[in-house]
Amino acid sequence: MSHSASAADTAVDSCYHCGSLVPAGAPWSITLDERDHPLCCPGCEAVAHAIVDGGLGSYYRFRTELPERPDERQAVKAETWAVFDDPGLQRQFVHADGDQVHATLAVDGITCAACAWLIEHRLNDLEGVTSSAVNLSHHRVRVAWDPARLKLSRILAEMAAIGYSAQPYEPDAAQQRLQFEERMNIRRLIVAAVGMAQVMMFSIPIYMTAPGEISEDFYALFHWLSFALATPVVFFSAMPFFRNAVRDLRTRVLGMDVPVSIAIGGAYLASGYAVIADTGEVYFDSVAMFTFFLLFGRYVEARARRRSGHTGNIMAGALPLSAVRLEANGEERILPASELVAGDRVIVKPGHGVPADGVIEEGESSLDESMLTGEYLPVTRRAGDSVTGGSQNIESPLMVRVTHAGKDARVASIVDLTDRAFASRPRLAQLAARMSHLFVLRLLVVTVCVTTAWWFIDPSRMLWVMLSVLVVTCPCALALATPTALTAGHGQLRRRGILITRADAIESLSQVDRVIFDKTGTLTCGEMQLIDTRPLDAITDERARTIAATLEAHSEHPIARAFRPWRQATVDASDRTSRTGQGVEGVIDGKRWRLGRADFVAPGHALPLPGEGQWLLLGEEGEPRAWFALRDRLREDAAETVAVLKARGIQVELLSGDTTEAVRAMAEHLGIETWRAGASPEGKLARIRDCQAAGEKVAMIGDGINDVPVLAGADVSIAMNGATDLARTSADAVLLSPRLLRIVEAIEIARATRRIMRQNMIWSVCYNFSALPLAAIGIVPPWVAALGMSGSSLVVVGNALRLNRFRLRPAPLPAPEARLVNA
């Protein structure tokens, strides 16, 4: 322990956080390492708990000096949060992104879309913040900022100033906070349920008996008992509503908790006054019932969101904590998986998880990749195959050479891509958020008008009519209409191996008219095989293959993998250049060699292809030297996918840079009428623009670097599971599963999600506009209003949860057997 920490231990009158004197009898403290440490003020207590609860207790154990004590008048400023500016702490959760950095923060107190709107607008107004996006399902916010202009402490301080405490996101600590919140919600719900049942027990005799059947003493007794039972319901169960309403009023953003708090607080105070003064009506039963039904609706909604959106936390912890590394001397060493680096060799025993992305060097086994792909059947992997961190080894031990570890592993990037999906919202979600915000303001205005009218009509009924109007038209269902559907849709897609990286992709997918496929690595598996070599000069087969392997040495294209077995370390190329859609070239032994299309390798030579299928030409200084024949394996469900898309009324097109013969053969085999061969990236993009100009919504499916411009230009783009990193980050969705039929499921789920969002919106608007006049004319009592409001919210949540039972309609054709095609 550091010197300062020890000093804090010995000086009991010194604040453990800042070192200031602790007032006599101060109640503030923090528990760390099973010891209580005194604190001088609520501010230090809040910061200390934020640090420890955020999983950063090591700050106190290893700090070298106490933080500076800010001036009391400046306590609310960013200096209070300065501990989070420590570079050592930031390495755990702040990530560089060019000239800026980004971090994901776990936020407490988020309850509805208005909270997300307030946080985003407050942060986006800060100088230096480039973007902020709230993930409503996971209670997280992703912030990007310029560290040269803004410190993280200022961001945390601004969020605290508007009532949302935030800590750096640590999956385990965040999960504990969510579990604590869920336990508190259950306790509040139980207190409200017990209070409602008991208050109703005392209210029923009053409602069921005729005047004079119960003495005045019993009336008073029942009222006082109801008063006592309703008090914990209001001050414990309903406390989150009041706390959120105060926050909304301070920030001048009207959320749904404002009318709720007015209704509960107004009814409780009026009823309490009626009991104490022995005059007027009592509404304790309505108060308890309204609080219970509102809490029950929010509890069900929160459980549904957490169940559908818990994948992010699970994925964040998918990588094993430890790994068995094989040292240079042959010994096995157990170490944290976070310490692995590229090039390490690890042993993965049966029943253990793969600790990092890598390539199998020895062994053969079955792996469970359902966490990543949604495919529950194990897949066989053998020497030379790639494995993904987080997969579970089932049968035999494997020796794996690490290629990407820790934050560079594929599973680690999925959480970041998922958070990015909430950076933008579909048009319907934006519309619902605006409507909910404006509806609360207009509801309060209407309530004032209705209350004033009843003051003149019948003052004795004025209060409960006002309560009914506030309760029955609370826009809870309107605020939940789109977030619940989006969360359920995202969860259903993720379980099927489809990762949405931009939220508006769901709306775009639901409107797709045409799906355009790339060929190699998309309709085919991208496992190119060299099946024939035909020299055209004095060059030998071996020499030709070695030259081709050298030219393709640093390429990620599937064609390059076909030549890897012939790579020789003693042969190298300089001035290597890749020409997109044409081939590669480089200088070997002073000669310029090219590999690719015939018109690129040997311009001016009219060379007929040696046969059907895909052929590449190797040339030296513009002279042809050898032909290479390649073939690829068609994906098992490619024909079925094309047939099902066409049966759904979607146009299917094949757009490839390969030869006319290869593209025609594949198009005829799959039943694709519209196809184009020899297309450059510019030509592909132009084709997409032509389709969009004709009014079509286009989805592009690709996997390579040359597909990046086309993926960016399409209305919605999907990158294959084996796509390059650049293609995955450029796409709107990533197919984690190797099955093409998942694309059909993604479109169907997107359509179902959009349909449910519209249904929820229509239901919410119709309910509010039909319930308002009924409550205003006084025919809806408060307890019926509470039932109606809660029932409306539950209808919206239940409708969204139908997505969890989504089933794809039967396909019209059986899947053909996998076969090798000349492609």
Side-chain angles (χ1 to χ4, degrees), residues 104-242:
T104 300
L105 308 175
V107 186
D108 296 328
I110 294 180
T111 58
C112 63
C115 301
W117 181 90
L118 173 61
I119 293 172
E120 290 175 356
H121 281 69
R122 186 63 174 257
L123 293 182
N124 289 336
D125 286 340
L126 293 177
E127 183 179 358
V129 171
T130 55
S131 67
S132 65
V134 173
N135 184 329
L136 190 60
S137 300
H138 299 93
H139 293 195
R140 299 202 297 261
V141 58
R142 188 179 190 271
V143 188
W145 72 94
D146 182 357
R149 301 167 58 194
L150 185 68
K151 293 183 177 181
L152 176 60
S153 57
R154 174 74 187 284
I155 296 174
L156 296 172
E158 287 293 331
M159 295 188 64
I162 58 175
Y164 299 93
S165 60
Q167 302 88 34
Y169 173 66
E170 296 288 339
D172 293 339
Q175 192 67 25
Q176 291 175 1
R177 283 194 298 274
L178 289 177
Q179 292 173 354
F180 173 77
E181 290 180 5
E182 187 169 0
R183 287 196 298 268
M184 289 300 297
N185 290 337
I186 292 175
R187 291 169 185 169
R188 290 190 175 97
L189 187 61
I190 292 174
V191 170
V194 172
M196 178 188 69
Q198 296 301 316
V199 171
M200 290 299 298
M201 183 179 69
F202 295 121
S203 301
I204 289 176
I206 298 176
Y207 292 145
M208 301 299 295
T209 56
E213 293 186 18
I214 298 180
S215 66
E216 292 297 326
D217 292 338
F218 274 106
Y219 266 111
L221 176 62
F222 289 163
H223 285 162
W224 277 103
L225 290 174
S226 298
F227 191 5
L229 291 167
T231 298
V233 174
V234 173
F235 287 96
F236 176 68
S237 297
M239 185 52 62
F241 306 139
F242 296 115

Side-chain angles (χ1 to χ4, degrees), residues 466 546 696:
M466 179 194 74
T546 299
E696 294 182 340

Side-chain angles (χ1 to χ4, degrees), residues 251-265:
T251 56
R252 299 181 181 179
V253 177
L254 296 178
M256 67 183 70
D257 289 315
V258 174
V260 166
S261 300
I262 294 175
I264 295 176

Side-chain angles (χ1 to χ4, degrees), residues 16-19 43-52 54 56-60 63 65-70 77-94 151-154 156-157 166-168:
Y16 185 67
H17 174 69
C18 69
C44 285
E45 184 180 48
V47 176
H49 279 285
I51 295 173
V52 174
L56 301 174
S58 297
Y59 163 76
Y60 290 111
R63 62 182 176 180
E65 60 182 4
L66 292 169
E68 295 181 2
R69 176 71 177 178
K77 293 191 175 180
E79 285 80 355
T80 307
W81 303 91
V83 292
F84 291 103
D85 291 333
D86 180 75
L89 292 179
Q90 290 195 2
R91 277 193 219 101
Q92 302 179 33
F93 54 86
V94 177
K151 293 183 177 181
L152 176 60
S153 57
R154 174 74 187 284
L156 296 172
Q167 302 88 34

Side-chain angles (χ1 to χ4, degrees), residues 13 32 72 125 129 185 235 242 261 274 344 401 415 447 450 476 499 508 521 607 669 726-727 783 820:
D13 57 344
L32 184 64
E72 294 297 331
D125 286 340
V129 171
N185 290 337
F235 287 96
F242 296 115
S261 300
D344 285 346
R401 177 173 49 82
V415 176
T447 303
V450 170
C476 297
L499 178 65
S508 300
L607 296 173
H669 176 74
L726 185 57
W783 66 271
L820 288 173

